[in-house]
Amino acid sequence: NLNNVYNVLDATNSTNENCALGNLNLTLIGENLTVQDSAVLSKGVADVPIAPVYKDLSLTASFGSASYNKTSSLLGDFAILAELISAAGENGVVNLDRNYNYIIGADTGNSGIMVSLKNLTINGNGFTVNANGKSRIFDIENAHNLTIKNITLTNGYSNEHGGAIYWKGAKYATIRDTIIKNSHSNSQGGAIYLNSGINKRFINVTFMNNTALTGGALAFMDQQSGDSNLIYGSTFVNNSASSSLG
């Protein structure tokens, strides 16, 4: 995957240890492409980290008699995070090691990253997922025993329910030590829309500056007899609804 590290040359010349990137003839062609300036040619291998991740990237490199050509369609951050969640599988843990941003032109769709695995933990490790006002962040359906923690979710948007999270059917799920802010729904639940399911817990969650037609921060719908949802140690700041239940 070209999102990771480009090993663009074989180790054909061990005398080129720690040569500067300036000695490498490198051509990169891609939409809104950024090349980090920390790349170093070491023992004939250039590690070239690419950010942001954009599709339809073409790379050509040469050093002496060695050459490399590669063209690939790269994934946006939301697509990458969706792949990480899918790869974790049931009973898995996803540990974020950086921020994730919805990238216009690379990420597609606006319904959010699908989460449907049981017994999954998403640990943000203090990092942020930013939808940039272009998409909902998570679409959670029947993901029983899900835990989301230590993360900031911001700038979610949905023309339907759930600006940051649409949550349907999951049982025994927890969001803790998390910030959900600056998200908007043109319908219900600026931050989160809860549709059925039982025993959802919100522990030390901050809801800030979220807006919707109904339920600026949260909207609970289709709750059944015996459903139990807990909000503990959480903070609501400047959430608003233009119709009701701000």
Side-chain angles (χ1 to χ4, degrees):
N1 189 324
L2 290 183
N3 175 48
N4 299 320
V5 175
Y6 287 96
N7 293 318
V8 298
L9 298 174
D10 294 327
T12 56
N13 188 346
S14 61
T15 63
N16 291 320
E17 197 168 322
N18 295 323
C19 290
L21 184 61
N23 293 328
L24 177 70
N25 297 316
L26 184 65
T27 302
L28 293 162
I29 302 172
E31 182 183 3
N32 293 338
L33 181 68
T34 298
V35 181
Q36 298 178 8
D37 61 4
S38 61
V40 173
L41 184 65
S42 177
K43 292 187 177 180
V45 178
D47 294 338
V48 185
I50 303 300
V53 182
Y54 261 85
K55 61 181 179 180
D56 300 327
L57 172 68
S58 175
L59 180 147
T60 301
S62 64
F63 188 88
S65 61
S67 63
Y68 177 91
N69 295 278
K70 180 78 173 182
T71 300
S72 179
S73 293
L74 300 183
L75 300 174
D77 269 7
F78 269 42
I80 291 170
L81 186 51
E83 285 195 350
L84 290 175
I85 291 171
S86 178
E90 293 189 353
N91 306 303
V93 178
V94 177
N95 279 299
L96 272 62
D97 60 2
R98 65 177 179 90
N99 297 323
Y100 285 80
N101 298 281
Y102 188 97
I103 301 174
I104 301 169
D107 285 304
T108 59
N110 57 16
S111 60
I113 298 165
M114 174 60 70
V115 181
S116 58
L117 297 166
K118 298 178 178 65
N119 304 311
L120 177 73
T121 297
I122 300 174
N123 185 354
N125 290 306
F127 291 103
T128 296
V129 179
N130 186 345
N132 285 318
K134 300 298 181 183
S135 172
R136 182 190 290 131
I137 296 175
F138 290 125
D139 181 358
I140 302 171
E141 299 194 22
N142 299 314
H144 306 312
N145 296 314
L146 171 70
T147 298
I148 298 174
K149 63 181 182 179
N150 302 327
I151 195 170
T152 296
L153 307 178
T154 187
N155 293 322
Y157 172 83
S158 177
N159 198 42
E160 300 175 341
H161 300 323
I165 297 175
Y166 177 88
W167 204 337
K168 180 180 179 180
K171 300 178 181 178
Y172 308 106
T174 301
I175 296 180
R176 64 182 308 142
D177 304 320
T178 287
I179 298 171
I180 305 176
K181 64 179 183 177
N182 302 333
S183 294
H184 176 76
S185 165
N186 281 339
S187 185
Q188 302 178 45
I192 301 175
Y193 176 84
L194 295 166
N195 183 357
S196 69
I198 62 173
N199 293 334
K200 297 182 181 71
R201 300 184 300 170
F202 303 91
I203 302 172
N204 298 328
V205 178
T206 297
F207 298 89
M208 181 185 300
N209 299 331
N210 301 292
T211 58
L213 180 67
T214 302
L218 292 165
F220 294 83
M221 298 296 168
D222 296 326
Q223 301 297 295
Q224 304 299 314
S225 176
D227 286 359
S228 176
N229 297 294
L230 169 69
I231 300 174
Y232 177 80
S234 296
T235 303
F236 294 80
V237 180
N238 199 35
N239 303 285
S240 62
S242 57
S243 176
S244 61
L245 305 175

